[in-house]
Amino acid sequence: MESSDKPSSSFMEFFSAYWDIFVGIFFGILAFLAHKNGLPLVSTILAAISIGALSVTISEIAEILAERLGEPYGSFVLTFSAVAVEILLLFMILSSGEHADPETLETVKSGIISAVIVDMNVLLGLAVFVGGLAFKEQEHNEDTSSTYTTILFVSALALLVPSVLQFSNEAEKKLTEASIIISIMLAIYYIFIYIFQTKTHSHFFKSTARSRIMRMKRKINEEEEEENYIFDKFSNFINFIVIFALILMVGFIAEIFASDGMPVFKELGISTGLAGLIIAIISVTPEIFTAVKAAKNDQIQRVINIAMGASTVSILLTVPILMALSYMNGIHFTLDFNSLQIGALIFTVILAWKTTDNGETNYIEGISHLMLFICFAVIAALY
């Protein structure tokens, strides 16, 4: 009897460890077949599931690399892997529109802002809420949040510039020029931030003494358990190659999602704001799982680094890269975000500043971020 149970138990353990890879590949194949057979709604749903599942795998491998590299480099790997998926999704949608129609452009702009809103309110809010319930209060390096909220506030104001110029004389010309200038400025700004994070002020992004002690205790407990996850056994170089290959796979499936998804959104009457929010949630979901897991292990510093780091990269790299890719492919893309998007971004930054400025978090601060997200989602759906 025991011998017959062992194969079943082994299979369940194997599937539990690698379900995301199987689901991602299987649903990706189904999405491709549905796309070829003219079933856009089915292919869109299947492609979204596939992208989400493969993104979980990317996130898990990135987390292994993050643990090995330490902060702040570890959080860089986590944020860059997620933002790569975001850029792929948004660019595929941008290039899927017929001559870059207004609805497609608005969906992409909504996706850019929504990624930050989801990172800062859903990811941060949910992780802080879960961590607050488990530990009452959690301590992080207040220099981290202070630096990031300053960067995000300035970046939000920079994105406001093209939006203001669209009401001036020769608006179209000035809007295009301002969008290019702001994109270049954001990219340069990020170079300085990268140096600041990794060279001159890396201590701003490392955990406090209390958080380090908790992490050491967790690591000792983990070392007592046997680890059989295959990516734990790979070298950093091999894991980076695997991540790159998975991102390429996501790019292929994202093309299916974009080509079938946009017509489906229009047919179902889904607003551009809600469509952008759906895209953001698909790309950010793996990060949310990683952040909640970190919060439950009292690694709130990792949560702050992921949420605010990903938001920073979403603006300072996603915007310039999308602008460059657009003009390389003859797509006229400008940064005239609407008042809801800029307003929600600024309010999010202000709330993040208020909830993290003292270096401690609790569950009520997590609920506050989730409440702000719900308000944004309602407006995005009905705007």
Side-chain angles (χ1 to χ4, degrees):
M1 187 70 178
E2 290 181 4
S3 60
S4 63
D5 288 341
K6 282 184 179 179
S8 175
S9 176
S10 298
F11 174 78
M12 290 305 297
E13 288 177 5
F14 183 78
F15 183 78
S16 176
Y18 303 104
W19 69 267
D20 43 339
I21 300 175
F22 292 127
V23 169
I25 295 173
F26 180 67
F27 277 79
I29 293 170
L30 291 180
F32 176 75
L33 294 174
H35 172 69
K36 286 296 182 182
N37 285 279
L39 301 170
L41 177 59
V42 176
S43 67
T44 300
I45 294 171
L46 293 173
I49 295 172
S50 176
I51 291 168
L54 291 174
S55 297
V56 169
T57 307
I58 293 170
S59 177
E60 287 178 346
I61 300 172
E63 191 174 1
I64 291 169
L65 290 168
E67 288 290 341
R68 294 176 183 176
L69 297 173
E71 297 297 347
Y73 300 101
S75 293
F76 275 163
V77 174
L78 287 167
T79 55
F80 273 109
S81 60
V83 170
V85 173
E86 177 191 338
I87 291 173
L88 277 172
L89 266 173
L90 292 176
F91 178 67
M92 290 303 176
I93 290 169
L94 192 62
S95 57
S96 70
E98 191 174 330
H99 303 297
D101 61 276
E103 287 191 18
T104 300
L105 294 173
E106 194 59 35
T107 299
V108 172
K109 292 170 192 174
S110 174
I112 293 171
I113 300 299
S114 294
V116 180
I117 302 299
V118 173
D119 273 324
M120 294 288 282
N121 290 307
V122 180
L123 187 154
L124 183 62
L126 191 59
V128 167
F129 174 72
V130 171
L133 291 179
F135 299 98
K136 193 174 181 180
E137 289 181 351
Q138 292 181 291
E139 183 181 325
H140 66 271
N141 190 337
E142 60 188 79
D143 288 329
T144 307
S145 55
S146 176
T147 303
Y148 273 134
T149 49
T150 300
I151 293 167
L152 288 168
F153 188 70
V154 172
S155 301
L157 294 179
L159 293 181
L160 185 60
V161 173
S163 303
V164 172
L165 288 173
Q166 67 178 311
F167 301 107
S168 63
N169 295 326
E170 299 182 348
E172 189 64 30
K173 180 183 177 183
K174 290 181 179 178
L175 176 59
T176 301
E177 291 175 352
S179 297
I180 294 171
I181 292 169
I182 292 299
S183 295
I184 294 171
M185 286 176 58
L186 291 175
I188 294 172
Y189 190 29
Y190 182 75
I191 293 171
F192 281 98
I193 292 165
Y194 178 81
I195 295 170
F196 185 87
Q197 285 180 293
T198 59
K199 303 297 180 184
T200 62
H201 290 73
S202 60
H203 58 284
F204 273 28
F205 305 91
K206 294 179 180 179
S207 56
T208 59
R210 175 177 173 270
S211 295
R212 286 197 297 271
I213 291 170
M214 289 301 297
R215 186 169 70 250
M216 286 174 65
K217 288 180 179 178
R218 185 184 67 84
K219 192 170 183 180
I220 291 169
N221 291 333
E222 283 182 347
E223 286 173 353
E224 292 174 356
E225 299 176 4
E226 186 180 358
E227 285 290 346
N228 292 316
Y229 195 49
I230 190 170
F231 299 110
D232 278 315
K233 301 173 183 178
F234 288 167
S235 66
N236 290 353
F237 178 72
I238 296 297
N239 277 330
F240 274 116
I241 291 176
V242 173
I243 285 181
F244 182 72
L246 289 171
I247 289 174
L248 287 179
M249 194 181 300
V250 167
F252 174 75
I253 300 168
E255 189 172 1
I256 296 173
F257 178 85
S259 61
D260 288 350
M262 288 307 296
V264 166
F265 290 151
K266 291 177 184 178
E267 187 179 335
L268 295 177
I270 295 175
S271 67
T272 55
L274 183 57
L277 189 58
I278 292 170
I279 293 163
I281 290 172
I282 291 171
S283 61
V284 173
T285 295
E287 284 182 285
I288 295 174
F289 287 124
T290 301
V292 170
K293 181 181 176 183
K296 288 167 70 175
N297 289 326
D298 201 20
Q299 288 182 293
I300 199 66
Q301 182 65 41
R302 171 65 60 81
V303 173
I304 299 295
N305 284 352
I306 293 173
M308 296 189 173
S311 299
T312 300
V313 175
S314 286
I315 297 177
L316 299 185
L317 281 189
T318 300
V319 170
I321 290 173
L322 279 178
M323 284 288 293
L325 290 173
S326 298
Y327 282 89
M328 285 169 60
N329 289 271
I331 301 171
H332 184 65
F333 181 62
T334 54
L335 303 178
D336 49 328
F337 297 96
N338 63 42
S339 55
L340 165 64
Q341 293 161 351
I342 296 296
L345 181 58
I346 292 174
F347 277 121
T348 292
V349 175
I350 292 172
L351 179 60
W353 166 56
K354 291 300 296 177
T355 57
T356 61
D357 65 338
N358 65 347
E360 293 182 350
T361 58
N362 55 65
Y363 70 86
I364 197 64
E365 293 170 339
I367 291 177
S368 300
H369 278 281
L370 293 171
M371 282 292 294
L372 179 58
F373 171 75
I374 292 170
C375 293
F376 173 77
V378 170
I379 299 174
L382 303 176
Y383 188 71

